[in-house]
Amino acid sequence: MKLAYVGRRSIYDVVRKIAYGVSLFGDGDVVIVDGRYRAGGDVVLPCDDYRCVAKELFASVPKILGGGKLGVDLGTAKNGVVYVWRGELVLHAVLDWATVEAVLKSAESVQIHMGSSPYVDMKRALSTLGCREVRLVDELDAGSSRPWLKRRYPELEEDELDALTFTFREGVGVRTCV
């Protein structure tokens, strides 16, 4: 699966911080286009800042590909979010709570795997999802695969790496309707 980008180089630099292995002006299964180009594409970006681009990509790419897993590592200051499709890392980002909330609200066709620990306000996160099922993953248990994933994806930040480990664990299914 390949992602491609068409548009200004400055926005490409933002996109490649979020999209794993995206090519510039290449062919891809999903084509991301700078909104100023007025060209057709699978995902048209109406903005150029990190938070907005992340929100657009996490909302659009899973709908286009259909299915996949969204890994979420909630923290006290920053949150790691990844999108994995058919076992392959597609998107990764470190986001603030407001952007994570927007991503979770738009996550319709994906399985959500969220890290569970005593330090995370799970009620706040689960209330964002309404009655959707979430797979809660024990963060200590998932941590055993971190060294292997760190070697495979050395460019990922710690929060992104944690979120990625959650997608490889089954976890416990929880549905909280609040």
Side-chain angles (χ1 to χ4, degrees):
M1 206 290 298
K2 290 174 41 178
L3 297 175
Y5 171 78
V6 176
R8 293 174 286 169
R9 179 65 189 229
S10 61
I11 298 176
Y12 171 69
D13 290 338
V14 175
V15 169
R16 77 182 172 140
K17 290 178 184 175
I18 300 163
Y20 188 74
V22 65
S23 64
L24 179 61
F25 294 110
D27 291 329
D29 301 311
V30 177
V31 178
I32 304 162
V33 177
D34 178 353
R36 288 194 181 172
Y37 266 45
R38 300 183 194 278
D42 299 307
V43 179
V44 179
L45 297 175
C47 52
D48 57 4
D49 67 279
Y50 183 86
R51 288 175 48 200
C52 181
V53 169
K55 188 167 56 172
E56 291 294 322
L57 291 176
F58 276 100
S60 302
V61 173
K63 289 177 185 171
I64 293 166
L65 296 177
K69 296 179 180 182
L70 188 70
V72 182
D73 176 41
L74 298 174
T76 54
K78 55 186 182 171
N79 310 282
V81 181
V82 299
Y83 172 63
V84 175
W85 186 69
R86 295 186 179 175
E88 192 176 330
L89 177 63
V90 179
L91 303 172
H92 59 94
V94 175
L95 304 169
D96 63 342
W97 171 249
T99 310
V100 170
E101 193 172 33
V103 167
L104 289 173
K105 286 180 180 177
S106 70
E108 297 169 0
S109 62
V110 297
Q111 243 186 24
I112 300 170
H113 292 247
M114 195 174 292
S116 174
S117 80
Y119 308 109
V120 176
D121 184 2
M122 297 306 299
K123 185 177 179 184
R124 181 179 180 194
L126 294 174
S127 67
T128 302
L129 295 166
C131 286
R132 296 238 8 244
E133 182 179 77
V134 177
R135 308 297 300 179
L136 294 180
V137 178
D138 182 349
E139 290 192 21
L140 290 175
D141 178 48
S144 64
S145 58
R146 274 183 107 225
W148 175 79
L149 288 170
K150 182 66 178 167
R151 284 190 299 277
R152 183 164 181 198
Y153 302 105
E155 65 281 354
L156 293 185
E157 291 188 34
E158 184 177 331
D159 297 302
E160 295 169 320
L161 196 60
D162 287 341
L164 183 59
T165 64
F166 304 153
T167 65
F168 293 106
R169 296 284 193 235
E170 197 55 36
V172 175
V174 174
R175 185 182 305 266
T176 308
C177 298
V178 275

